[in-house]
PDB file of all heavy atoms in Angstrom:
ATOM      1  N   ARG A 171       9.348  14.542 -12.304  1.00 94.00           N
ATOM      2  CA  ARG A 171       9.492  14.171 -13.712  1.00 94.00           C
ATOM      3  C   ARG A 171       8.504  14.821 -14.671  1.00 94.00           C
ATOM      4  O   ARG A 171       8.290  14.296 -15.758  1.00 94.00           O
ATOM      5  CB  ARG A 171       9.399  12.659 -13.838  1.00 94.00           C
ATOM      6  CG  ARG A 171      10.606  11.984 -13.192  1.00 94.00           C
ATOM      7  CD  ARG A 171      10.757  10.582 -13.590  1.00 94.00           C
ATOM      8  NE  ARG A 171      10.967  10.471 -15.017  1.00 94.00           N
ATOM      9  CZ  ARG A 171      10.976   9.328 -15.670  1.00 94.00           C
ATOM     10  NH1 ARG A 171      10.773   8.214 -15.038  1.00 94.00           N
ATOM     11  NH2 ARG A 171      11.177   9.280 -16.957  1.00 94.00           N
ATOM     12  N   PRO A 172       7.916  15.947 -14.349  1.00 95.00           N
ATOM     13  CA  PRO A 172       7.055  16.535 -15.372  1.00 95.00           C
ATOM     14  C   PRO A 172       7.919  17.165 -16.455  1.00 95.00           C
ATOM     15  O   PRO A 172       9.095  17.488 -16.226  1.00 95.00           O
ATOM     16  CB  PRO A 172       6.294  17.619 -14.602  1.00 95.00           C
ATOM     17  CG  PRO A 172       7.273  18.074 -13.588  1.00 95.00           C
ATOM     18  CD  PRO A 172       7.993  16.797 -13.168  1.00 95.00           C
ATOM     19  N   THR A 173       7.349  17.340 -17.618  1.00 96.00           N
ATOM     20  CA  THR A 173       8.058  18.115 -18.626  1.00 96.00           C
ATOM     21  C   THR A 173       8.082  19.556 -18.149  1.00 96.00           C
ATOM     22  O   THR A 173       7.286  19.959 -17.291  1.00 96.00           O
ATOM     23  CB  THR A 173       7.355  18.037 -19.992  1.00 96.00           C
ATOM     24  OG1 THR A 173       6.080  18.685 -19.874  1.00 96.00           O
ATOM     25  CG2 THR A 173       7.187  16.595 -20.466  1.00 96.00           C
ATOM     26  N   ASN A 174       8.963  20.338 -18.712  1.00 96.00           N
ATOM     27  CA  ASN A 174       9.010  21.748 -18.341  1.00 96.00           C
ATOM     28  C   ASN A 174       7.689  22.424 -18.675  1.00 96.00           C
ATOM     29  O   ASN A 174       7.204  23.260 -17.910  1.00 96.00           O
ATOM     30  CB  ASN A 174      10.176  22.460 -19.027  1.00 96.00           C
ATOM     31  CG  ASN A 174      10.268  23.896 -18.597  1.00 96.00           C
ATOM     32  OD1 ASN A 174      10.426  24.197 -17.418  1.00 96.00           O
ATOM     33  ND2 ASN A 174      10.123  24.812 -19.541  1.00 96.00           N
ATOM     34  N   ALA A 175       7.079  22.046 -19.781  1.00 97.00           N
ATOM     35  CA  ALA A 175       5.786  22.633 -20.172  1.00 97.00           C
ATOM     36  C   ALA A 175       4.701  22.296 -19.147  1.00 97.00           C
ATOM     37  O   ALA A 175       3.893  23.153 -18.780  1.00 97.00           O
ATOM     38  CB  ALA A 175       5.381  22.151 -21.555  1.00 97.00           C
ATOM     39  N   GLU A 176       4.685  21.046 -18.664  1.00 97.00           N
ATOM     40  CA  GLU A 176       3.709  20.653 -17.649  1.00 97.00           C
ATOM     41  C   GLU A 176       3.929  21.411 -16.345  1.00 97.00           C
ATOM     42  O   GLU A 176       2.976  21.880 -15.720  1.00 97.00           O
ATOM     43  CB  GLU A 176       3.795  19.147 -17.381  1.00 97.00           C
ATOM     44  CG  GLU A 176       3.323  18.283 -18.527  1.00 97.00           C
ATOM     45  CD  GLU A 176       3.685  16.818 -18.362  1.00 97.00           C
ATOM     46  OE1 GLU A 176       4.609  16.484 -17.588  1.00 97.00           O
ATOM     47  OE2 GLU A 176       3.029  16.000 -19.029  1.00 97.00           O
ATOM     48  N   LEU A 177       5.192  21.544 -15.942  1.00 97.00           N
ATOM     49  CA  LEU A 177       5.512  22.272 -14.721  1.00 97.00           C
ATOM     50  C   LEU A 177       5.132  23.746 -14.874  1.00 97.00           C
ATOM     51  O   LEU A 177       4.520  24.331 -13.970  1.00 97.00           O
ATOM     52  CB  LEU A 177       7.002  22.134 -14.391  1.00 97.00           C
ATOM     53  CG  LEU A 177       7.500  22.835 -13.129  1.00 97.00           C
ATOM     54  CD1 LEU A 177       6.758  22.328 -11.892  1.00 97.00           C
ATOM     55  CD2 LEU A 177       8.998  22.646 -12.985  1.00 97.00           C
ATOM     56  N   ALA A 178       5.452  24.333 -15.997  1.00 97.00           N
ATOM     57  CA  ALA A 178       5.124  25.736 -16.243  1.00 97.00           C
ATOM     58  C   ALA A 178       3.619  25.963 -16.178  1.00 97.00           C
ATOM     59  O   ALA A 178       3.151  26.933 -15.573  1.00 97.00           O
ATOM     60  CB  ALA A 178       5.675  26.179 -17.597  1.00 97.00           C
ATOM     61  N   ASP A 179       2.870  25.054 -16.760  1.00 97.00           N
ATOM     62  CA  ASP A 179       1.410  25.164 -16.733  1.00 97.00           C
ATOM     63  C   ASP A 179       0.894  25.061 -15.293  1.00 97.00           C
ATOM     64  O   ASP A 179       0.016  25.826 -14.892  1.00 97.00           O
ATOM     65  CB  ASP A 179       0.798  24.065 -17.606  1.00 97.00           C
ATOM     66  CG  ASP A 179      -0.702  24.209 -17.742  1.00 97.00           C
ATOM     67  OD1 ASP A 179      -1.159  25.308 -18.118  1.00 97.00           O
ATOM     68  OD2 ASP A 179      -1.405  23.221 -17.446  1.00 97.00           O
ATOM     69  N   ARG A 180       1.463  24.157 -14.530  1.00 96.00           N
ATOM     70  CA  ARG A 180       1.011  23.954 -13.153  1.00 96.00           C
ATOM     71  C   ARG A 180       1.264  25.181 -12.275  1.00 96.00           C
ATOM     72  O   ARG A 180       0.477  25.483 -11.387  1.00 96.00           O
ATOM     73  CB  ARG A 180       1.697  22.734 -12.556  1.00 96.00           C
ATOM     74  CG  ARG A 180       1.239  22.435 -11.155  1.00 96.00           C
ATOM     75  CD  ARG A 180       1.629  21.073 -10.700  1.00 96.00           C
ATOM     76  NE  ARG A 180       1.237  20.905  -9.301  1.00 96.00           N
ATOM     77  CZ  ARG A 180       1.534  19.880  -8.572  1.00 96.00           C
ATOM     78  NH1 ARG A 180       2.214  18.883  -9.082  1.00 96.00           N
ATOM     79  NH2 ARG A 180       1.155  19.807  -7.312  1.00 96.00           N
ATOM     80  N   VAL A 181       2.379  25.892 -12.518  1.00 97.00           N
ATOM     81  CA  VAL A 181       2.723  27.044 -11.674  1.00 97.00           C
ATOM     82  C   VAL A 181       2.397  28.375 -12.357  1.00 97.00           C
ATOM     83  O   VAL A 181       2.768  29.434 -11.860  1.00 97.00           O
ATOM     84  CB  VAL A 181       4.204  27.002 -11.221  1.00 97.00           C
ATOM     85  CG1 VAL A 181       4.477  25.756 -10.401  1.00 97.00           C
ATOM     86  CG2 VAL A 181       5.157  27.120 -12.390  1.00 97.00           C
ATOM     87  N   HIS A 182       1.717  28.292 -13.502  1.00 96.00           N
ATOM     88  CA  HIS A 182       1.229  29.489 -14.213  1.00 96.00           C
ATOM     89  C   HIS A 182       2.359  30.403 -14.661  1.00 96.00           C
ATOM     90  O   HIS A 182       2.334  31.611 -14.428  1.00 96.00           O
ATOM     91  CB  HIS A 182       0.218  30.257 -13.357  1.00 96.00           C
ATOM     92  CG  HIS A 182      -0.840  29.381 -12.765  1.00 96.00           C
ATOM     93  ND1 HIS A 182      -1.791  28.743 -13.532  1.00 96.00           N
ATOM     94  CD2 HIS A 182      -1.067  28.997 -11.484  1.00 96.00           C
ATOM     95  CE1 HIS A 182      -2.574  28.020 -12.755  1.00 96.00           C
ATOM     96  NE2 HIS A 182      -2.154  28.151 -11.510  1.00 96.00           N
TER      97      HIS A 182
END
Side-chain angles (χ1 to χ4, degrees):
R171 292 196 62 188
T173 66
N174 183 59
E176 291 168 340
L177 180 59
D179 186 53
R180 182 165 176 186
V181 299
H182 312 293

